[in-house]
Amino acid sequence: MNNLFKIIVLALIITITMGVTANAAEKKVRLKLATTWGPTLEPFSSAVREFADTVEKMSGGTLTIRVDYANKHKAPFGVFDMVKLGQYDMAHSASYYWKGKDTAFLPLTSMPFGLTAVETYAWFYYGGGMDLANKAYNPHNMYFFPGGNTGVQMGGWFRKEINTLDDFKGLKMRIPGFAGEIMAKLGLNVTNIAPGELYTSLERGTIDALEWVGPGMDFKMGFHKIAPYYYTGWHEPGSEMQFLMNQKKFDSLSEAHQEILRVAMRTTAYDLFTKNYALSANAWETMLKENPNIKVKTFSKTIMDAMKGANAELLTKMKAANPLFKEILESQEKFQQKARKWTEMSEYLYVKDNLVE
Ligand code: CA
């Protein structure tokens, strides 16, 4: 055996031994995760379950996650505070639900007339978005991670056709985020309702209209039985769900566990995006065929212009009121300017020139 070979063998033995020792020495950690969703809200609920399974396998069982759905912890919109205070280590939710705490959280989900899903990911991972998201969340003792995108959301289900701006007046609608602010400005009574209570609220007349996500998630909720006018989207062009992680807890984990969580969250986000896309494609194919009462509509140009006008006015006011909101939004706007030119040149032109029959 020559010396070089001996050295290589020795180095290999040391590396393997260290690896085994590190793994054996890895402290067992159990994290608790709370979701805003119930256990059957697909594909959100299974995404979180699969995330926990992935983490357990990747860590060789040294890092496990207990998932508590909203039916267990009873506080779908309480997960922010629970993770902040350390009652839970993690949450899966959506950032715009926390607009009452800080408007800077709004653009981290989606903004009306804003970024598409692909543009959103490009902004988060390669356009400075992650740093800005954590600038908003770190003061609350939390880290933000992208948690899966819904793609373009549909504009919602209405009992009656919306022809003029007057048809909006006094209408009670469930619509969260910045879009809710716009609709309120156009005369609607806007509210946010937890996912588990949407159908009954519509059925009982607590609300007249609602937006949820898109065909993949909407159709099985049965909204079309009560409100058959289904409007195309404008308000959530690429809504990103979120993982929230208690900062102190994350910092206390080993580098290996931190990396496992980061990789698993990124994979989960991507998987949720593609899964939801497939679900919507499937639902769109069967939905209209089986339910001729569903009428797919697009808001008129007058209505869209009014929405855009209200949007611009509110943005100016909100930027002036909150420097961090301004910083995050302007970063997105700048990125959108650049990215959209490429989106138009690539996806848009390709799709436009190759429409299916
Ligand atoms: Ca929505």
Side-chain angles (χ1 to χ4, degrees), residues 96 153 211-212 236:
Y96 64 2
Q153 295 201 6
E211 70 75 54
W212 177 222
E236 293 192 56

Side-chain angles (χ1 to χ4, degrees), residues 11 16 57 75 99 121 156 158 173 175 182 218 239 312 332 354:
I16 291 164
K57 281 181 195 147
K99 69 176 176 183
Y121 280 125
F158 293 78
M173 182 173 188
I175 178 164
I182 294 174
D218 289 8
S239 286
Q332 285 188 343
N354 293 283

Side-chain angles (χ1 to χ4, degrees), residues 31 80-91 140-145 243-253:
L31 302 174
F80 179 103
D81 287 324
M82 293 194 294
V83 175
K84 180 178 179 170
L85 298 172
Q87 292 158 346
Y88 276 88
D89 305 305
M90 301 185 75
H140 294 275
N141 186 34
M142 287 188 278
Y143 289 120
F144 168 101
F145 298 90
F243 280 106
L244 286 178
M245 175 94 214
N246 181 280
Q247 198 170 355
K248 280 199 194 83
K249 189 70 180 191
F250 190 80
D251 292 344
S252 77
L253 299 175

Side-chain angles (χ1 to χ4, degrees), residues 130-338:
M130 287 297 284
D131 287 344
L132 286 169
N134 282 305
K135 198 172 171 180
Y137 278 96
N138 291 356
H140 294 275
N141 186 34
M142 287 188 278
Y143 289 120
F144 168 101
F145 298 90
N149 202 291
T150 63
V152 176
Q153 295 201 6
M154 289 292 281
W157 299 88
F158 293 78
R159 284 173 201 267
K160 289 179 188 155
E161 193 169 354
I162 303 295
N163 293 309
T164 67
L165 283 166
D166 276 347
D167 294 332
F168 273 156
K169 299 278 184 297
L171 211 70
K172 290 172 285 179
M173 182 173 188
R174 181 269 181 194
I175 178 164
F178 197 72
E181 313 280 326
I182 294 174
M183 289 305 231
K185 214 168 160 48
L186 296 182
L188 286 92
N189 291 321
V190 170
T191 175
N192 187 20
I193 292 169
E197 295 153 33
L198 291 174
Y199 184 82
T200 36
S201 302
L202 192 62
E203 194 185 29
R204 287 178 190 159
T206 313
I207 46 173
D208 308 306
L210 61 81
E211 70 75 54
W212 177 222
V213 182
M217 292 183 72
D218 289 8
F219 184 48
K220 55 186 176 244
M221 300 281 259
F223 304 139
H224 58 280
K225 292 176 206 156
I226 304 166
Y229 291 90
Y230 199 22
Y231 277 84
T232 54
W234 60 278
H235 66 305
E236 293 192 56
S239 286
E240 189 64 35
M241 301 303 108
Q242 66 175 180
F243 280 106
L244 286 178
M245 175 94 214
N246 181 280
Q247 198 170 355
K248 280 199 194 83
K249 189 70 180 191
F250 190 80
D251 292 344
S252 77
L253 299 175
S254 70
E255 258 182 59
H257 279 174
Q258 288 179 355
E259 190 63 7
I260 285 167
L261 284 173
R262 265 193 290 264
V263 171
M265 283 188 277
R266 201 155 163 162
T267 307
T268 301
Y270 172 74
D271 191 57
L272 181 53
F273 172 43
T274 50
K275 190 175 186 181
N276 187 57
Y277 207 94
L279 285 173
S280 279
N282 293 338
W284 193 252
E285 190 182 41
T286 51
M287 197 178 82
L288 301 176
K289 224 182 281 174
E290 290 171 6
N291 296 274
N293 69 315
I294 296 175
K295 293 168 188 72
V296 179
K297 299 278 173 185
T298 294
F299 291 117
S300 71
K301 188 171 182 307
T302 313
I303 291 175
M304 291 294 276
D305 285 347
M307 286 166 169
K308 282 178 187 164
N311 184 54
E313 234 176 88
L314 282 163
L315 286 181
T316 308
K317 210 181 286 176
M318 229 179 250
K319 278 182 187 175
N322 184 346
L324 187 55
F325 173 82
K326 182 172 187 279
E327 189 182 355
I328 294 174
L329 198 75
E330 285 179 352
S331 167
Q332 285 188 343
E333 285 170 344
K334 207 171 148 204
F335 192 81
Q336 187 172 328
Q337 278 289 323
K338 181 171 50 178

